[in-house]
Amino acid sequence: MSNSQWRQEMNTNVRWRLPAVCFVWQLSMIILFGVFVRYNEESDTHWVDYRKGNNITSDIENDFYFRYPSFQDVHVMIFVGFGFLMTFLKRYSFGAVGFNFLIAAFGIQWALLMQGWFHSLDYTDGKIKIGVENLINADFCVAGCLIAYGAVLGKVSPVQLLVMTLFGITLFAVEEYIILNVLHAKDAGGSMVIHTFGAYYGLSISWVLYRPNLDKSKHLNGSVYHSDVFAMIGTLFLWMFWPSFNSAIADHGDGQHRAAINTYLALASTVLTTVAISSLFEKTGKLDMVHIQNSTLAGGVAVGTAAEFMLSPYGSLIVGFFCGIISTMGYIHFSPFLEEKLKIQDTCGIHNLHAMPGVIGGIVGAIAATAATNTVYGDLGLENTFDFTGPFAKRVPTIQGGYQAAGLCVALCFAIGGGIFVGLVLKLPIWGDPADENCFDDEIYWEVRQFLLTFAGN
Amino acid sequence: MSNSQWRQEMNTNVRWRLPAVCFVWQLSMIILFGVFVRYNEESDTHWVDYRKGNNITSDIENDFYFRYPSFQDVHVMIFVGFGFLMTFLKRYSFGAVGFNFLIAAFGIQWALLMQGWFHSLDYTDGKIKIGVENLINADFCVAGCLIAYGAVLGKVSPVQLLVMTLFGITLFAVEEYIILNVLHAKDAGGSMVIHTFGAYYGLSISWVLYRPNLDKSKHLNGSVYHSDVFAMIGTLFLWMFWPSFNSAIADHGDGQHRAAINTYLALASTVLTTVAISSLFEKTGKLDMVHIQNSTLAGGVAVGTAAEFMLSPYGSLIVGFFCGIISTMGYIHFSPFLEEKLKIQDTCGIHNLHAMPGVIGGIVGAIAATAATNTVYGDLGLENTFDFTGPFAKRVPTIQGGYQAAGLCVALCFAIGGGIFVGLVLKLPIWGDPADENCFDDEIYWEVRQFLLTFAGN
Amino acid sequence: MSNSQWRQEMNTNVRWRLPAVCFVWQLSMIILFGVFVRYNEESDTHWVDYRKGNNITSDIENDFYFRYPSFQDVHVMIFVGFGFLMTFLKRYSFGAVGFNFLIAAFGIQWALLMQGWFHSLDYTDGKIKIGVENLINADFCVAGCLIAYGAVLGKVSPVQLLVMTLFGITLFAVEEYIILNVLHAKDAGGSMVIHTFGAYYGLSISWVLYRPNLDKSKHLNGSVYHSDVFAMIGTLFLWMFWPSFNSAIADHGDGQHRAAINTYLALASTVLTTVAISSLFEKTGKLDMVHIQNSTLAGGVAVGTAAEFMLSPYGSLIVGFFCGIISTMGYIHFSPFLEEKLKIQDTCGIHNLHAMPGVIGGIVGAIAATAATNTVYGDLGLENTFDFTGPFAKRVPTIQGGYQAAGLCVALCFAIGGGIFVGLVLKLPIWGDPADENCFDDEIYWEVRQFLLTFAGN
């Protein structure tokens, strides 16, 4: 029996599997939160005592007021940004926005635990103490898994997505700990930790789950006019709020301020080169919505690691300039190659939007760190920006550059190794994934009442 | 002549009635604002003197900077959140988003006056002094009426909606005053004051306006593919910004911080149990968009009252867990019962999204207040959280719990009593409401040019 | 050969022209930013030294925290607000949201330079120093050009739009400098500087580019059901975030606070009178989506200049009241007159939404300034609000009123003069604009895969 025949007989009924996974995992979250998670000193009613004890003059100095506006912007990126960006498929908009919602809602809980154990554990009582910064980091952690979803969009079941998220968050928390704490690399906007990891994790899974007969559902693997307009909602909310993404957990004061400026500029620059390349390679100079929806975001990815650094306004523009070109060229030339030669089917083209720009971002970060000088940063500024304090007090920029590069390698290793492992797990014939001829079709997992607006009433 | 025949001959021409109501009411607002409303000390040019007089060191301590980001999020929930959530009907999207816009715009003005008289009246000069907190409270007040709109969506005229809003805001301001000021109950996110009140107000109106022949427009009482995607815009903006809703008027510092965390967690938990129940009760485990669009929000409703309390992160998860189950079960089992046995036609299922979770929220709040201890809250923390000051300085948590429960009863009484009265007013045959066969149809009140995207140009 | 024939033979292939303009202009931006643009003291790593030197006690007093939430709201208005508002055309949604994206991304870069030279040039080193306020001003500057786009929507090529933006930003920066710095007029929300300028600039261009045979594409110059719902996304994000727009660069403290309140109220009032007039002039009182999408915003435009002044809450309501009436009447009566008699084809009706309300806003600002007294403002308050300091220390409110009126005239002159000049440039037959029968059609400039959702898969 061929692989294709076997798939055709697969059972996409998830009636017991999906509820079981949701219930058991949510119950586990409640138990683990009960054992481990508490409010931190800024979100606990004891804040009033803490304030007095630490000579904090005003409630406005609670971290909440530094980060909450950025947090909400990031939250919009995760749920509306990623969710709507993937609605471009003509008949998979429910799956795009709905499954994105499901896995993000699970992921943020699991991320609070995993990241909490590594970063926010209070050793005096063994509890994870959470505040607004933990919420942002949980959203970031989920972003990695949502990027990976882009590669397998339309080809997996919701149960597989939840499994992918469980492992993805776990791997993320470990690689993040190694990169940020052990190597002490900086990655404010997560070019390495989020984008490189998420993209290669998803691509590796997609490679293992390769479907040779996917063209049986080719007619559904595309957009219609209004689904492309829906996708632009996702694109624009990602694009507009990306300065908040890259500055959300940057240093108070100039750190957040500079990260926002750098990202704003890089993204503006990317739009122009994306349009240029898109027009240059299409017949009669017509623009392609796929490029506008995706490649315009590449600059935000690539400026992530260095967002907090003194990259200079023109430095940000240069990063955006090249990423718009590379990402759009990727859609035109590299995606077909990836599918035909490397057997990687990448529904949303995350290789062009996250993988390549993420790696570029890691490299830009390493170079910018290496090139940092006391003249440009000031003595205190250099120390603050790179946290050259405590055990890292003696580190110098050139060494920091090396650790930044090492961080990029760690992200790649975790992504590819983890992705292959998770891909093999997802290949087990128990997850309810669709047959080749039913990919990209909402009717497998959703009650669809009526597709078209008709005049039934007249 | 049967009720149905009479309705068929009803005149849905609102040409003179709608403009007259809009003009006269708006002119009344201008006159009342002229007599009563002024800037408060933080939005007046005398702020610079006030700052000096009160030893406020920086402009950043103006309440504007504590609350404006949350205010804007709440504003989005009111206009985009509620508006788009109701666009799911295949041919009533204009009415959903348009009438929502109209009644909210009127409601916030009337709410500023009604709430102002009760809460912000300066007795030295008889003026209402407004600032950003008043704007948030006006938005909150309107939320109650928009919830009620969900029950009667597609079955009433815009004039009826305005009347419903006028009375709704008035009743809201009185019950709010009794609950928050007289009983001194706490309700940061409005489980009782907003959701319980709004939902039972709408359901009572719908009960009085029961249409036995509504199945004549059954073919329009459902969604098409893209109208469901539009509704997800509403769902997600409500879901994402709910932490801002519940924290917007909480105490500065830890109060706002904790309310945001509790809401974030409750909502995440709700998504998983909603998906679980939706899949469990549908054929072959398919998900139903109605559940995803609505029940995923129930956790935010239910954690409203206790959002500011030391509910604990796992406590929030538990609240969300049960509300997702109850709300989805409501759509599957309770809504048909409500329509067939109790004669309540609830277009959007607000009983499942707002009424039941609202009551649960009130109960959770009462229990959490009763269980509050000095050990958990700290002496100062307990006093701050429950405002045990002034005339309430002697109140203890167990007593507070009783008053919380009393608050829930007040909300229910005002909602049901007020709703029946307003329903009777709206039954008068002068408001231009549609006949049974024209319900859920935009063409009654809107110029609709063309329904489908055709190739007329080719 | 008639004008129409000549147009029919026009070449809409922008394959070399569009990429060339994007590349060359983006490269120029990089070079100019390299030479001129640096971080300011609040976004530079030297902020830590600056803080100490200026006795700033906390990072929270960095201007970033005063303005970033408003900045992000403005950013949403520019890209989602303007972009989606223009998606109402049945087959020009890609062009609406896509070209809006392109010209805004270019415009903000050019605006940072142009405005920087006039407002943020550090004469000690000849560099432009940027921070979050510059980002907001760049977004504002672009808003003028996006308003102008509304007049020519569907009738020009992307290359023409870029040219229009290049000149528009340049003219804007000069008129803004004259109005705000030379005349020392106040214009927090830009009724004069942004709306009056942008609208008459666009109308003048449209007048020069008049197409007598535009009715050849009349069948595409209208909406379908779902394109009107998309447009409401734009409307609502503009409406909701307008308080942030008008308060974004207002004075810290009461200035921002009051501007937000005034705008909130003016907009609420506008909605009611828009609905009233729309219903009054249509058959059987039906509402017209065009009015709801546009005229509801007129109050925000008209309260722009005076937003920061002590306009009083009822004053704001009055401004909104009249603007809703005038703007809706404009759509019903004035737009046809404008097209037939004055030969100005105004696709989005910017004359009704921006031009008339903008002029009203300028006049309201002049009157409010003239009427300002020490009694109402307080001595310090008056000085702060109107910046009667330095060379303007001796100016009194009545004189200020005169300068406000002069500012309005400057905006009109630059708009009309500049618009006619740019219109003539755009008439050159080299820009790839569409023939009369191909206007309002995305297929000229975009790859459109499939218009309708069909059942191809079944």
Side-chain angles (χ1 to χ4, degrees):
Chain A
M1 192 164 86
S2 78
N3 187 38
S4 151
Q5 279 172 315
W6 169 72
R7 282 200 169 267
Q8 241 175 300
E9 289 158 27
M10 283 175 72
N11 181 5
T12 58
N13 184 334
V14 290
R15 184 159 184 185
W16 299 106
R17 285 170 280 190
L18 182 58
V21 169
C22 287
F23 271 125
V24 173
W25 290 13
Q26 186 57 52
L27 279 171
S28 313
M29 287 303 116
I30 291 174
I31 295 166
L32 289 168
F33 269 66
V35 177
F36 286 107
V37 183
R38 298 292 178 271
Y39 304 114
N40 74 8
E41 68 274 1
E42 302 194 281
S43 58
D44 189 284
T45 42
H46 290 86
W47 159 253
V48 60
D49 305 315
Y50 179 85
R51 250 187 71 183
K52 286 181 188 167
N54 290 271
N55 273 321
I56 295 167
T57 53
S58 166
D59 278 331
I60 197 88
E61 296 188 48
N62 192 304
D63 197 36
F64 183 78
Y65 301 103
F66 285 93
R67 305 207 185 277
Y68 191 72
S70 313
F71 158 65
Q72 276 294 3
D73 293 348
V74 171
H75 219 39
V76 172
M77 293 173 74
I78 298 299
F79 291 89
V80 163
F82 282 105
F84 272 86
L85 184 60
M86 298 192 284
T87 57
F88 72 99
L89 287 175
K90 67 184 84 166
R91 276 170 68 173
Y92 207 71
S93 301
F94 289 6
V97 73
F99 294 153
N100 183 79
F101 194 15
L102 172 64
I103 62 177
F106 166 70
I108 53 180
Q109 298 178 61
W110 181 228
L112 281 171
L113 285 164
M114 281 303 302
Q115 294 183 311
W117 282 316
F118 281 111
H119 296 285
S120 307
L121 201 62
D122 180 340
Y123 289 98
T124 61
D125 59 2
K127 304 295 184 197
I128 296 163
K129 303 290 172 65
I130 63 170
V132 65
E133 193 170 341
N134 298 70
L135 306 188
I136 297 170
N137 276 313
D139 273 19
F140 278 4
C141 192
V142 158
C145 296
L146 301 182
I147 290 165
Y149 180 23
V152 298
L153 181 73
K155 298 175 295 182
V156 293
S157 76
V159 183
Q160 283 178 307
L161 286 172
L162 282 164
V163 173
M164 208 171 116
T165 305
L166 180 77
F167 285 108
I169 299 283
T170 314
L171 289 160
F172 183 103
V174 179
E175 59 110 30
E176 183 192 39
Y177 178 75
I178 295 174
I179 294 171
L180 302 189
N181 296 51
V182 178
L183 300 177
H184 197 69
K186 303 290 287 180
D187 198 11
S191 300
M192 305 184 286
V193 168
I194 300 168
H195 297 285
T196 302
F197 170 78
Y200 285 103
Y201 179 63
L203 292 168
S204 304
I205 292 173
S206 193
W207 178 69
V208 177
L209 297 182
Y210 180 68
R211 288 169 181 261
N213 299 308
L214 188 59
D215 54 6
K216 284 186 182 171
S217 49
K218 191 173 57 175
H219 58 286
L220 291 177
N221 190 0
S223 63
V224 288
Y225 194 65
H226 279 168
S227 73
D228 268 326
V229 182
F230 278 118
M232 280 304 289
I233 298 174
T235 299
L236 288 175
F237 275 101
L238 287 169
W239 194 91
M240 296 179 303
F241 287 165
W242 214 294
S244 296
F245 192 92
N246 285 352
S247 69
I249 56 161
D251 285 345
H252 287 179
D254 64 293
Q256 292 193 280
H257 203 151
R258 193 166 51 252
I261 294 173
N262 286 335
T263 312
Y264 175 96
L265 290 172
L267 285 164
S269 179
T270 307
V271 175
L272 273 93
T273 51
T274 298
V275 168
I277 298 291
S278 184
S279 173
L280 200 61
F281 283 84
E282 298 278 330
K283 286 172 302 190
T284 72
K286 289 189 185 185
L287 296 169
D288 189 328
M289 260 293 174
V290 171
H291 307 155
I292 307 302
Q293 283 159 11
N294 293 281
S295 298
T296 51
L297 301 166
V301 173
V303 86
T305 301
E308 219 181 333
F309 300 166
M310 293 288 282
L311 195 56
S312 299
Y314 70 90
S316 306
L317 290 182
I318 292 171
V319 171
F321 185 90
F322 287 109
C323 283
I325 296 173
I326 291 166
S327 177
T328 315
M329 298 286 276
Y331 278 98
I332 296 168
H333 293 303
F334 207 68
S335 286
F337 170 82
L338 218 62
E339 175 148 3
E340 281 157 37
K341 305 295 172 193
L342 301 185
K343 308 292 179 201
I344 298 176
Q345 292 155 331
D346 177 7
T347 313
C348 294
I350 62 166
H351 189 267
N352 313 306
L353 169 48
H354 296 280
M356 291 191 297
V359 171
I360 292 170
I363 295 168
V364 168
I367 295 170
T370 307
T373 62
N374 290 54
T375 327
V376 172
Y377 284 73
D379 292 335
L380 255 173
L382 194 69
E383 194 187 307
N384 286 346
T385 304
F386 293 99
D387 281 326
F388 288 157
T389 52
F392 305 100
K394 299 246 163 112
R395 195 180 274 188
V396 293
T398 46
I399 304 292
Q400 179 68 23
Y403 280 101
Q404 294 285 141
L408 184 59
C409 299
V410 172
L412 280 166
C413 292
F414 268 80
I416 294 169
I420 289 170
F421 168 75
V422 173
L424 291 170
V425 171
L426 296 182
K427 237 182 141 69
L428 297 175
I430 55 171
W431 306 115
D433 41 330
D436 290 339
E437 46 277 12
N438 294 327
C439 286
F440 315 115
D441 193 348
D442 269 334
E443 286 189 280
I444 304 300
Y445 300 115
W446 298 85
E447 289 286 331
V448 178
R449 284 177 187 85
Q450 191 181 329
F451 267 108
L452 268 179
L453 196 64
T454 55
F455 294 80
N458 293 344
Chain B
M1 191 163 87
S2 77
N3 187 38
S4 149
Q5 278 173 313
W6 171 70
R7 281 201 170 270
Q8 240 174 302
E9 290 158 25
M10 283 175 71
N11 181 4
T12 57
N13 184 332
V14 290
R15 184 160 183 186
W16 299 105
R17 285 170 282 191
L18 183 57
V21 170
C22 288
F23 270 125
V24 172
W25 292 12
Q26 187 57 52
L27 279 171
S28 314
M29 288 303 115
I30 291 174
I31 295 166
L32 289 167
F33 269 66
V35 176
F36 287 108
V37 184
R38 298 291 179 272
Y39 304 114
N40 74 8
E41 68 274 2
E42 303 193 280
S43 58
D44 189 284
T45 42
H46 290 87
W47 158 252
V48 59
D49 304 315
Y50 180 84
R51 251 187 69 183
K52 286 181 188 165
N54 290 270
N55 272 321
I56 295 167
T57 52
S58 166
D59 278 330
I60 196 88
E61 296 188 48
N62 192 304
D63 198 35
F64 182 77
Y65 302 102
F66 285 92
R67 305 208 186 276
Y68 191 72
S70 313
F71 158 66
Q72 275 295 2
D73 294 349
V74 172
H75 219 41
V76 172
M77 294 173 74
I78 298 300
F79 291 90
V80 163
F82 282 105
F84 272 86
L85 185 59
M86 298 193 285
T87 56
F88 72 100
L89 287 175
K90 68 185 84 165
R91 275 171 67 174
Y92 207 71
S93 301
F94 289 6
V97 74
F99 295 153
N100 183 81
F101 193 16
L102 171 64
I103 62 178
F106 166 69
I108 53 180
Q109 298 178 60
W110 181 228
L112 281 170
L113 285 164
M114 281 302 302
Q115 294 183 312
W117 283 315
F118 281 112
H119 296 285
S120 307
L121 201 60
D122 182 340
Y123 289 97
T124 61
D125 59 2
K127 305 295 185 198
I128 297 164
K129 302 289 172 67
I130 63 170
V132 66
E133 194 169 342
N134 299 70
L135 305 189
I136 297 170
N137 275 315
D139 274 18
F140 278 4
C141 193
V142 159
C145 295
L146 301 182
I147 291 165
Y149 180 23
V152 298
L153 182 72
K155 299 175 294 183
V156 293
S157 75
V159 183
Q160 283 178 307
L161 286 172
L162 282 165
V163 172
M164 208 172 117
T165 305
L166 179 78
F167 285 108
I169 300 283
T170 313
L171 289 160
F172 183 103
V174 179
E175 58 109 31
E176 184 193 40
Y177 178 74
I178 296 174
I179 295 171
L180 302 189
N181 295 51
V182 178
L183 301 177
H184 197 70
K186 302 290 287 180
D187 198 10
S191 300
M192 306 184 287
V193 168
I194 300 168
H195 297 284
T196 303
F197 170 79
Y200 286 103
Y201 178 64
L203 292 167
S204 304
I205 291 172
S206 193
W207 178 69
V208 177
L209 298 182
Y210 181 68
R211 288 169 180 261
N213 300 307
L214 188 59
D215 54 5
K216 284 186 183 171
S217 49
K218 191 173 58 176
H219 58 285
L220 291 178
N221 190 0
S223 64
V224 288
Y225 195 65
H226 279 168
S227 71
D228 268 327
V229 183
F230 278 118
M232 280 304 289
I233 297 175
T235 299
L236 288 175
F237 275 101
L238 287 170
W239 194 91
M240 295 180 304
F241 287 165
W242 215 294
S244 296
F245 192 94
N246 285 352
S247 69
I249 56 161
D251 286 344
H252 287 178
D254 65 293
Q256 292 194 282
H257 203 151
R258 194 165 52 254
I261 294 173
N262 286 336
T263 311
Y264 175 95
L265 291 172
L267 285 164
S269 180
T270 307
V271 175
L272 273 93
T273 51
T274 298
V275 168
I277 298 291
S278 183
S279 172
L280 200 60
F281 284 84
E282 298 277 332
K283 289 170 302 187
T284 73
K286 289 187 185 186
L287 296 169
D288 189 328
M289 258 293 172
V290 171
H291 308 155
I292 307 302
Q293 283 159 9
N294 292 282
S295 298
T296 50
L297 301 167
V301 174
V303 86
T305 301
E308 218 181 334
F309 300 166
M310 292 290 282
L311 194 58
S312 299
Y314 70 91
S316 307
L317 290 181
I318 292 171
V319 171
F321 185 90
F322 286 108
C323 283
I325 296 172
I326 291 165
S327 177
T328 316
M329 298 286 277
Y331 278 98
I332 296 167
H333 293 303
F334 207 68
S335 286
F337 171 83
L338 216 64
E339 174 149 4
E340 282 156 34
K341 304 295 172 192
L342 302 185
K343 308 292 179 203
I344 298 175
Q345 291 156 331
D346 178 7
T347 313
C348 295
I350 62 165
H351 189 266
N352 312 305
L353 169 48
H354 297 280
M356 292 193 296
V359 171
I360 292 171
I363 296 168
V364 168
I367 295 170
T370 308
T373 62
N374 291 54
T375 329
V376 172
Y377 284 74
D379 293 333
L380 254 173
L382 194 69
E383 194 187 306
N384 286 345
T385 305
F386 294 98
D387 281 327
F388 288 157
T389 53
F392 306 100
K394 297 247 164 111
R395 195 180 274 188
V396 294
T398 46
I399 304 292
Q400 178 69 24
Y403 281 102
Q404 294 285 142
L408 185 58
C409 299
V410 171
L412 280 167
C413 293
F414 268 80
I416 294 168
I420 289 169
F421 167 75
V422 174
L424 291 170
V425 171
L426 296 183
K427 239 184 142 63
L428 298 175
I430 55 169
W431 306 116
D433 41 329
D436 290 339
E437 46 277 12
N438 294 327
C439 286
F440 315 116
D441 193 347
D442 270 334
E443 288 188 280
I444 305 299
Y445 301 115
W446 298 86
E447 289 286 333
V448 178
R449 284 180 187 78
Q450 190 181 330
F451 268 108
L452 269 178
L453 196 64
T454 54
F455 294 82
N458 293 345
Chain C
M1 191 164 86
S2 79
N3 188 37
S4 149
Q5 278 173 313
W6 170 71
R7 281 200 170 270
Q8 240 174 304
E9 288 157 27
M10 282 175 72
N11 181 6
T12 59
N13 184 335
V14 290
R15 185 159 183 186
W16 298 106
R17 284 169 280 188
L18 182 58
V21 169
C22 288
F23 270 125
V24 173
W25 290 13
Q26 187 57 53
L27 278 171
S28 314
M29 288 303 116
I30 292 175
I31 294 166
L32 290 168
F33 269 67
V35 176
F36 286 108
V37 184
R38 298 291 179 272
Y39 304 114
N40 73 8
E41 69 273 4
E42 301 194 280
S43 58
D44 188 285
T45 43
H46 290 86
W47 159 252
V48 60
D49 305 315
Y50 179 85
R51 251 187 70 183
K52 287 182 187 165
N54 290 270
N55 272 322
I56 296 168
T57 53
S58 166
D59 278 331
I60 196 88
E61 296 188 48
N62 191 304
D63 197 37
F64 183 77
Y65 301 103
F66 285 92
R67 305 209 184 274
Y68 191 72
S70 313
F71 158 66
Q72 275 294 1
D73 294 349
V74 171
H75 219 40
V76 171
M77 293 173 74
I78 298 299
F79 291 90
V80 163
F82 282 104
F84 273 86
L85 184 60
M86 297 193 283
T87 57
F88 72 100
L89 287 175
K90 68 184 84 165
R91 275 169 69 175
Y92 207 70
S93 301
F94 290 5
V97 74
F99 295 152
N100 183 81
F101 193 15
L102 171 64
I103 62 178
F106 165 70
I108 53 180
Q109 298 178 60
W110 181 228
L112 280 171
L113 285 164
M114 280 302 302
Q115 294 184 309
W117 283 315
F118 281 112
H119 296 285
S120 307
L121 199 62
D122 181 340
Y123 288 97
T124 61
D125 59 2
K127 304 294 184 197
I128 296 164
K129 302 289 172 68
I130 64 169
V132 66
E133 194 170 339
N134 299 71
L135 306 188
I136 297 170
N137 275 314
D139 274 19
F140 277 4
C141 192
V142 159
C145 296
L146 301 181
I147 291 165
Y149 180 23
V152 297
L153 182 72
K155 299 176 293 183
V156 293
S157 76
V159 183
Q160 283 178 307
L161 286 171
L162 283 165
V163 172
M164 210 172 115
T165 306
L166 179 77
F167 285 108
I169 300 282
T170 312
L171 290 160
F172 183 103
V174 179
E175 59 110 31
E176 184 192 39
Y177 178 75
I178 296 174
I179 295 171
L180 303 188
N181 296 50
V182 178
L183 301 178
H184 197 70
K186 302 289 288 180
D187 198 10
S191 300
M192 305 184 286
V193 168
I194 301 169
H195 297 285
T196 303
F197 170 77
Y200 285 103
Y201 178 63
L203 291 168
S204 305
I205 292 173
S206 194
W207 178 68
V208 177
L209 298 182
Y210 181 68
R211 288 169 180 262
N213 299 308
L214 188 60
D215 54 5
K216 284 187 182 170
S217 50
K218 190 172 59 175
H219 58 285
L220 291 178
N221 190 0
S223 64
V224 288
Y225 194 65
H226 279 168
S227 71
D228 268 326
V229 182
F230 277 117
M232 280 304 289
I233 298 174
T235 299
L236 288 174
F237 275 101
L238 287 170
W239 194 91
M240 296 180 303
F241 288 165
W242 214 294
S244 297
F245 191 92
N246 284 352
S247 69
I249 56 162
D251 285 346
H252 288 179
D254 64 292
Q256 291 194 281
H257 203 152
R258 194 167 50 254
I261 294 173
N262 286 335
T263 312
Y264 175 94
L265 291 171
L267 286 164
S269 179
T270 307
V271 175
L272 273 93
T273 50
T274 298
V275 168
I277 297 290
S278 183
S279 173
L280 200 61
F281 284 85
E282 298 277 331
K283 288 172 300 188
T284 74
K286 289 189 185 185
L287 297 169
D288 189 328
M289 259 295 172
V290 171
H291 307 155
I292 307 301
Q293 283 159 10
N294 292 281
S295 298
T296 51
L297 301 166
V301 174
V303 86
T305 300
E308 218 181 336
F309 300 166
M310 292 290 281
L311 194 58
S312 297
Y314 70 92
S316 307
L317 291 181
I318 292 171
V319 171
F321 185 90
F322 286 108
C323 283
I325 296 172
I326 291 165
S327 177
T328 316
M329 297 286 276
Y331 278 98
I332 296 168
H333 293 302
F334 207 67
S335 286
F337 171 81
L338 218 62
E339 175 150 1
E340 281 157 36
K341 305 293 172 193
L342 301 186
K343 308 293 179 203
I344 299 176
Q345 291 156 331
D346 177 8
T347 313
C348 295
I350 62 166
H351 189 266
N352 313 305
L353 169 48
H354 297 280
M356 291 191 295
V359 170
I360 293 169
I363 296 168
V364 168
I367 296 170
T370 307
T373 62
N374 290 53
T375 327
V376 172
Y377 284 74
D379 294 334
L380 255 173
L382 194 69
E383 192 187 309
N384 286 345
T385 305
F386 293 99
D387 282 326
F388 289 156
T389 52
F392 306 99
K394 298 242 164 116
R395 195 181 275 189
V396 294
T398 45
I399 304 293
Q400 178 69 25
Y403 280 103
Q404 293 286 141
L408 184 58
C409 298
V410 171
L412 280 166
C413 293
F414 268 81
I416 294 169
I420 290 170
F421 168 73
V422 173
L424 291 171
V425 172
L426 296 182
K427 237 182 142 66
L428 298 175
I430 55 170
W431 306 114
D433 41 330
D436 290 338
E437 47 276 12
N438 294 327
C439 285
F440 315 116
D441 193 348
D442 269 335
E443 287 188 281
I444 305 300
Y445 301 115
W446 298 85
E447 288 287 330
V448 178
R449 284 180 187 79
Q450 191 180 329
F451 267 108
L452 268 178
L453 196 63
T454 56
F455 293 80
N458 291 345

